[in-house]
Amino acid sequence: MPLRRTVRVAVALAAAGAVASAGAGCSASSSSSSAAASGAVYEPAGVPGAGLTTVVEGPKIVVGDAKAPHTATVYVDPRCSYCAKFEEGGAVPLAQAAADGKVRIEYVVASFLDARTGGTDSARAANAMRAAAEAGRFAEFQAALFAGGGAEDPLKVADRVEGLRGAEFDRAVREDAYHDWVVSAEKAFEDSGVGGTPTVVVDGQSVGVGDALYDQDAFARVLRDAGL
């Protein structure tokens, strides 16, 4: 059943099929450094995109008005440091475009970076992101997760998100309740052929490359050029 929840449009964007050549992004053939952990408390009023309608459709989390005239498909890995960098940059005008009803965002959470490290941190984080969506705190959780670099214990991340910790969320994290969803999201990433994160495609066309991804004003211009 699709779930309608508050979600942060904490999405990161790059050119499809050109992540490695652009020199900005995490690819299947490169690892990612981690961002520093943050002690901030993430509340709805302080998170861009909080309050947007969200539905889970198969392997995607779809954010924004279903009747929006444009669609952006966005790919991230929770441990991708470039995705974390975008969090404070281009994600902000994209969130505003969704809030203004201009675009709906199909958000795909990959976990390919686990293959580079031999660990499972990306998959565990992706499972927790899904659980946070169930709890109505996806927006705030994602902000806290990227601030911590994506490899932190998801329950410790959740401690920084007002109102998130509880029996249902904690159980879902500890028992890996959304394992199958995480697998399907990774497969959707692999089948897309984009090859790395952060990546976005707007109405079938790749947008955003290089430093523009990490600058709010520059990416706002990219979105305007894409018709948003």
Side-chain angles (χ1 to χ4, degrees):
M1 293 288 292
L3 297 172
R4 295 189 175 274
R5 291 290 188 266
T6 298
V7 67
R8 167 127 163 83
V9 192
V11 295
L13 314 172
V19 176
S21 63
C26 301
S27 74
S29 59
S30 67
S31 60
S32 172
S33 60
S34 294
S38 169
V41 175
Y42 293 83
E43 304 173 2
V47 178
L52 295 177
T53 298
T54 301
V55 295
V56 177
E57 297 180 355
K60 300 176 180 179
I61 297 174
V62 182
V63 178
D65 188 348
K67 297 180 180 179
H70 299 281
T71 298
T73 303
V74 179
Y75 304 83
V76 297
D77 186 298
R79 282 193 292 165
C80 176
S81 58
Y82 289 96
C83 297
K85 185 178 178 181
F86 182 80
E87 180 82 2
E88 301 302 325
V92 176
L94 184 64
Q96 187 59 56
D100 291 343
K102 297 177 180 178
V103 63
R104 64 177 237 141
I105 303 166
E106 298 177 342
Y107 188 62
V108 178
V109 184
S111 50
F112 68 89
L113 285 174
D114 284 346
R116 297 292 301 166
T117 66
T120 60
D121 288 337
S122 287
R124 290 177 67 237
N127 175 74
M129 290 166 77
R130 181 70 170 82
E134 295 279 358
R137 290 290 186 274
F138 184 80
E140 300 87 339
F141 181 77
Q142 184 171 245
L145 180 69
F146 275 123
E152 189 178 1
D153 181 345
L155 292 179
K156 291 183 178 179
V157 175
D159 282 337
R160 301 197 296 273
V161 179
E162 185 177 287
L164 180 55
R165 290 295 299 269
E168 186 174 354
F169 174 83
D170 289 6
R171 180 196 62 78
V173 171
R174 290 190 175 115
E175 298 180 8
D176 196 20
Y178 297 104
H179 171 81
D180 291 346
W181 182 84
V182 173
V183 171
S184 69
E186 170 60 19
K187 186 176 187 302
F189 166 75
E190 293 172 2
D191 290 348
S192 72
V194 299
T197 57
T199 297
V200 69
V201 176
V202 174
D203 296 335
Q205 300 294 320
S206 62
V207 301
V209 64
D211 292 342
L213 296 169
Y214 314 116
D215 181 274
Q216 293 184 24
D217 292 337
F219 200 75
R221 291 192 291 271
V222 169
L223 294 177
R224 287 196 294 271
D225 289 344
L228 276 64

